[in-house]
Amino acid sequence: MSSETQVRLPSLNGGIYTGKFKDWSPSLRPAGKLTVSGDTAELCMKPKNDRPPSADIIRRFRATVRPDAGQMRVFYGRAQDPHQQWAAEMTHGINTTSSNTAGELANPPPKTLFNQRKLDRKENIYASHIRAPLGISHEQSHGLPRGLNRDQFTFGIPTELDIGAGGLINPNKTYAEVEAESAVGMELYRETHKNFDVGEKLHRGYTQPSFFPDKKFGIPTPHNNEGIKVKKTLKWMHETEQEKATKIVSKRVDDFRERSQPILGQVHDPIKDTLKVGPDHTYGILAKPDEYGAGDLMHGRAPSNYLRGKDRQRGVLAAIRQHLKKANFHNFTDLVHAFRYYDKDGKGVIDINDLREVCIQYHLPLEPELLEQLLDSCDANRDGAIDYVEFSNFLNWKDKMKSGLPDKPETPLNSSRSKSAVSDDLVRKSVHSAESTPRRLKLQIDKAIGDHRTSANMINAVVGGISTRDYRTYGVPTIRTDIHAPRIRRVDDNKNYGDESDAYGLVNPSIFSRRHVYEKDFLLPRTKEELKSIFHNIGVQMTGEMFEQVYNTAAKQNPKGHVSVESIRGVIDDIQAHQVMTGQHPMAV
């Protein structure tokens, strides 16, 4: 590269922004990409593509999946087909020649007198033209017999006048005459055509003594006016069986459907037959999952209390608790007897040794780690042991068994606990029941959260909630009051420019909207003459002096001096309210 065409980058000693602003950190190198000064806008927006050319076999697939801008999408199987070059220049069919247009046929060009004479000369050689020239009737009288009076003689047979079509369709006969005429020959017609009237019995000539003509055979057909039986009649049994049976589909059709149509639960890969990779092959880089989940982040758990990956451990603990619940429910009558069976020393709590001994007796051998985890999950107050309330909630069904304590306990469960403590642990099962049960505990796996509140419960979801007036807003507002509504609105323009009603306005429309008068019409600034005519037309009687006073008061309330219908109405309401309070209004009490 010559020295004239070589591009020099700006020096980093002074910086490319030297003299334009004050550099508060001259010791730090400015971030960003240094561009060469003097480049065109086209070169900046369309940089040079220094990417090496792809191989031909890769370019085949790129032209199918992601072709370049302006290029035709070509299937990779036809990328090297020589017929494509011929097809670009090939045309099919027969070239049609232009014919006369409709205008030329409807309005042909006028003929000259010479051309008309030539056409008449050609037409004169025909015999039909000689006998009946154009515009003259064809005379055929020379073919009639001589002496025939053409004015009086008529050809054909005269037609006798008969009844009309109405008489043939609706003859002037009574119902009895029509029935008598139709009965003539009916017996013979039954024998020849097997034609019977509706509801007519078929006499088969049975001579058996036990046969009675009035007897009916068969089972009566069930009838329902709602048409329920019609569905069973129209749907045959073999069609119902075909719906239950497995439909047989050709393997070729099934393979084509799998290759061309997406199937629920499977990845749609139409080119998997052409790729020489295994069915379990995956592309890309395998991302390692985080050790914490979304619940851990929401509840702010410590790293030692992450629940991600502990699903199997929690499932094993749930199975152990379920087994102990069943054993306690079938072996004891109340919760106190079951608790004392665990607490053999009468300490009032169950430690890990008591829990291990009972598990061995129930043929449930557990590892020491599982016992510690079970004790930790059931210990709600974190005192290292399981008391009576925790045992009733987590290792037994307290709603299905009696508590074993009196409704108003007079003696504590153990000597170390007071009477009030036991009373606090017992609650009534219901409002109308005198039977007591241990209070309910929640197995809280979220140690960082106690009585949490949702954001909807705090922010304007209830009366007196936290105001969000000073909160920072994000995104584009739904009601675009920052831009003006266009004069002509397009059909696909679904923006709300602030001129549309809200949900309350749609559910409860105002009485003015039925007359095509909306809120914006009340707030538009108007002239004094227009406002005076509006209030005069709606029946508000005011003198000129009073209207001037109301108008000036409304103009003072607006910083720009604009007066609208709403501002005039507000001033009138204030005047009437003052008159009512002072007793000057007729409606004042």
Side-chain angles (χ1 to χ4, degrees), residues 313 317 352 356 366-375:
Q313 171 187 346
L317 294 179
I352 190 170
R356 182 187 298 107
L366 299 178
E367 298 178 356
E369 293 82 2
L370 287 177
L371 281 175
E372 293 178 359
Q373 294 174 4
L374 178 61
L375 184 66

Side-chain angles (χ1 to χ4, degrees), residues 60 64 74-81:
R60 290 170 53 192
T64 302
V74 181
F75 189 73
Y76 58 85
R78 301 183 59 186
Q80 299 178 356
D81 192 355

Side-chain angles (χ1 to χ4, degrees), residues 228-450:
I228 300 176
K229 306 297 182 181
V230 180
K231 179 182 178 182
K232 296 183 179 179
T233 304
L234 297 178
K235 203 160 188 177
W236 298 88
M237 185 177 295
H238 69 277
E239 296 179 358
T240 308
E241 296 297 331
Q242 287 180 358
E243 293 178 358
K244 297 180 181 179
T246 305
K247 296 182 181 180
I248 301 176
V249 183
S250 175
K251 186 176 184 302
R252 181 180 299 177
V253 176
D254 197 9
D255 295 343
F256 177 77
R257 186 180 303 166
E258 182 181 358
R259 184 171 58 255
S260 59
Q261 299 179 1
I263 302 177
L264 184 63
Q266 297 184 9
V267 180
H268 185 207
D269 190 4
I271 61 173
K272 68 177 182 179
D273 297 337
T274 60
L275 299 178
K276 305 301 181 182
V277 296
D280 56 344
H281 184 79
T282 55
Y283 297 90
I285 302 174
L286 181 62
K288 184 179 179 181
D290 299 327
E291 61 179 354
Y292 49 84
D296 301 330
L297 296 178
M298 293 173 60
H299 297 294
R301 300 191 185 99
S304 60
N305 297 327
Y306 286 161
L307 297 180
R308 188 179 182 89
K310 298 181 181 180
D311 298 337
R312 186 174 181 277
Q313 171 187 346
R314 295 170 60 188
V316 172
L317 294 179
I320 296 172
R321 289 178 51 207
Q322 188 72 9
H323 186 83
L324 292 176
K325 283 183 178 182
K326 289 182 179 180
N328 296 330
F329 179 76
H330 291 292
N331 295 328
F332 304 100
T333 58
D334 53 26
L335 299 175
V336 172
H337 287 82
F339 183 80
R340 288 175 177 171
Y341 181 77
Y342 284 76
D343 184 21
K344 300 183 183 302
D345 299 335
K347 301 184 297 296
V349 293
I350 301 173
D351 56 8
I352 190 170
N353 297 323
D354 299 334
L355 196 61
R356 182 187 298 107
E357 184 178 355
V358 173
C359 290
I360 294 174
Q361 294 178 3
Y362 285 156
H363 303 285
L364 187 66
L366 299 178
E367 298 178 356
E369 293 82 2
L370 287 177
L371 281 175
E372 293 178 359
Q373 294 174 4
L374 178 61
L375 184 66
D376 183 69
S377 63
C378 298
D379 187 11
N381 55 7
R382 299 300 169 188
D383 58 353
I386 302 175
D387 56 9
Y388 171 74
V389 180
E390 294 170 349
F391 173 80
S392 303
N393 280 270
F394 304 138
L395 297 181
N396 211 328
W397 288 301
K398 69 183 188 63
D399 297 334
K400 296 183 179 181
M401 295 181 63
K402 297 182 179 180
S403 62
L405 296 176
D407 298 337
K408 295 181 178 179
E410 298 179 356
T411 57
L413 185 64
N414 59 316
S415 58
S416 61
R417 301 183 65 189
S418 64
K419 185 184 301 184
S420 60
V422 179
S423 300
D424 295 339
D425 292 340
L426 295 179
V427 295
R428 292 189 177 185
K429 284 189 174 182
S430 63
V431 181
H432 304 287
S433 176
E435 187 178 356
S436 61
T437 182
R439 58 187 175 88
R440 182 177 298 276
L441 297 179
K442 295 181 180 179
L443 186 59
Q444 180 60 257
I445 61 175
D446 305 325
K447 300 177 182 178
I449 290 184

Side-chain angles (χ1 to χ4, degrees), residues 161-208:
L161 183 61
D162 200 354
I163 60 176
L168 294 176
I169 298 176
N170 296 319
N172 189 12
K173 297 179 182 180
T174 61
Y175 181 77
E177 293 176 356
V178 175
E179 288 293 331
E181 291 179 0
S182 63
V184 177
M186 192 62 186
E187 294 294 336
L188 181 61
Y189 197 68
R190 289 194 188 97
E191 295 294 336
T192 56
H193 292 75
K194 303 298 181 183
N195 189 11
F196 300 91
D197 294 336
V198 179
E200 182 181 0
K201 293 183 179 180
L202 179 61
H203 299 281
R204 302 181 183 274
Y206 292 149
T207 59
Q208 189 175 358

Side-chain angles (χ1 to χ4, degrees), residues 525-583:
R526 303 179 186 274
T527 60
K528 184 185 300 184
E529 291 76 11
E530 186 178 4
L531 291 172
K532 188 174 182 179
S533 63
I534 289 175
F535 281 93
H536 178 72
N537 293 333
I538 64 177
V540 180
Q541 302 297 333
M542 290 187 296
T543 61
E545 182 181 356
M546 183 177 181
F547 181 79
E548 290 289 339
Q549 181 182 359
V550 172
Y551 183 85
N552 296 332
T553 306
K556 293 179 181 179
Q557 295 178 358
N558 191 285
K560 295 183 179 180
H562 294 165
V563 181
S564 61
V565 176
E566 183 65 25
S567 59
I568 291 287
R569 189 170 64 176
V571 174
I572 294 176
D573 292 342
D574 295 340
I575 294 175
Q576 290 183 355
H578 179 70
Q579 292 177 357
V580 171
M581 294 178 62
T582 57

